Amino acid sequence: MLRSLWTAASGMKAQQTNVDTIAHNLANINTTGYKTEKVEFQSLLYQTIQGTSYDSEGDVKPIPAQVGLGVKSGAITSQFRQGNLLTTEGAFDFCIDGEGFFQVQLPDGSIGYTRNGSLKMSVDTDGMTLATSEGYPVLDTNGEKITVGMNYNTALLEFDSSGNLMYPDETNNMQRIGIQIGLVQFNNPSGLFKVSDSLFKESEASGVPREEWTDGELIPSSVLQGYLEGSNVQAADEMVNLIIAQRAYEMNSKAITASDEMLQQANNLRG
């Protein structure tokens, strides 16, 4: 009986993690560039009640007797499929069409990665810098902040599909000014370490960032100005998953109740 109590308790704990993840997905249904997360379950150890045994004829029985000891949350995986393109017409709203990530410089000097292209031009001592809403500077292909002088009219700045910064010359023809947004890709983006503000950090599981502008084996992403990438959370799917998780949690709690009642009956036996 005690085995069933612990097994059902592990199921309740795993489903609670599932519900927490679903709630997080629903909470971020309107978060720019958010990638839906999914809990992956794994069975726990098995207890062998009867191993290799033989029948009356001396033949090996084909199936051993093993009892599982429950379930655990093995991983919470981000689904990096493309979100919907949302038209904003914002001068510094960008959507990445592809597998790339923006690079941003964090306050501690490390580099973060994001798909959230809601950017702004901030004024600092060096001029005007392209940055996230939190003020983290976006980096170019040289690992430097994307900064232009105060003499530039930000209303005339444009970016092409490769992320090259462009500005009109004396004849109003758009010309590249030698600055390009540095997009990178990862062999295993699901292995990125999640931090706040829609940011990721490199980890051993993700591998090192691969530069799109130098790595010929990568399919380059496109940068679309005036668009944002919406969350790829599907509300209907999440609601169905929530109902399933709730029912699974309820059934595990009933298994605990049944095991407790059986223990009470065993304790009440009289010799």
Side-chain angles (χ1 to χ4, degrees):
M1 305 301 180
L2 291 177
R3 184 192 296 119
S4 63
L5 288 172
W6 288 109
T7 298
S10 72
M12 293 180 69
K13 184 178 180 180
Q15 291 303 326
Q16 181 61 62
T17 302
N18 194 18
V19 171
D20 292 343
T21 302
I22 294 170
H24 183 66
N25 288 337
L26 291 172
N28 285 278
I29 196 168
N30 289 323
T31 300
T32 302
Y34 177 78
K35 301 304 179 184
T36 186
E37 298 176 352
K38 180 181 179 182
V39 179
E40 298 179 4
F41 299 105
Q42 295 177 349
S43 60
L44 294 176
L45 295 173
Y46 283 82
Q47 182 173 354
T48 300
I49 298 176
Q50 183 179 31
T52 303
S53 58
Y54 303 87
D55 60 17
S56 58
E57 301 296 329
D59 297 324
V60 177
K61 292 183 179 179
I63 302 174
Q66 293 179 294
V67 177
L69 299 181
V71 66
K72 69 173 182 178
S73 302
I76 301 177
T77 306
S78 295
Q79 309 292 314
F80 279 91
R81 61 178 180 271
Q82 185 79 37
N84 294 328
L85 304 186
L86 307 177
T87 304
T88 66
E89 298 182 357
F92 300 103
D93 286 340
F94 300 93
C95 173
I96 298 176
D97 185 10
E99 305 295 327
F101 289 83
F102 295 110
Q103 302 180 89
V104 298
Q105 185 175 2
L106 302 181
D108 62 359
S110 62
I111 298 178
Y113 306 92
T114 184
R115 296 275 299 188
N116 189 338
S118 181
L119 307 179
K120 307 289 186 293
M121 291 298 292
S122 63
V123 178
D124 57 24
T125 56
D126 298 324
M128 294 177 291
T129 299
L130 187 66
T132 66
S133 299
E134 294 76 23
Y136 306 142
V138 179
L139 303 182
D140 62 11
T141 53
N142 296 317
E144 303 292 336
K145 297 187 294 184
I146 298 177
T147 302
V148 296
M150 298 297 294
N151 58 315
Y152 282 84
N153 183 353
T154 57
L156 301 179
L157 291 173
E158 293 184 6
F159 290 80
D160 64 14
S161 61
S162 297
N164 292 291
L165 184 57
M166 306 181 71
Y167 195 76
D169 58 14
E170 295 79 2
T171 59
N172 287 327
N173 291 320
M174 301 303 295
Q175 302 291 333
R176 295 178 179 178
I177 61 175
I179 299 176
Q180 181 182 7
I181 296 176
L183 298 181
V184 297
Q185 297 184 21
F186 292 88
N187 289 335
N188 178 29
S190 296
L192 289 167
F193 184 77
K194 304 177 185 70
V195 293
S196 60
D197 302 325
S198 298
L199 293 172
F200 300 90
K201 279 193 172 183
E202 173 190 342
S203 71
E204 290 186 15
S206 68
V208 298
R210 301 176 62 181
E211 301 171 342
E212 289 193 352
W213 62 95
T214 59
D215 196 328
E217 296 182 358
L218 298 177
I219 299 176
S221 305
S222 296
V223 178
L224 306 179
Q225 188 174 12
Y227 294 85
L228 290 174
E229 181 186 10
S231 165
N232 63 2
V233 175
Q234 298 295 324
D237 292 342
E238 297 301 320
M239 292 305 297
V240 170
N241 292 336
L242 181 60
I243 294 172
I244 294 173
Q246 182 181 7
R247 294 293 180 265
Y249 189 92
E250 180 181 355
M251 287 186 289
N252 279 284
S253 67
K254 288 183 177 179
I256 291 178
T257 301
S259 296
D260 181 57
E261 292 176 352
M262 294 171 71
L263 284 172
Q264 290 180 16
Q265 293 178 4
N267 290 333
N268 291 332
L269 291 176
R270 293 295 185 266

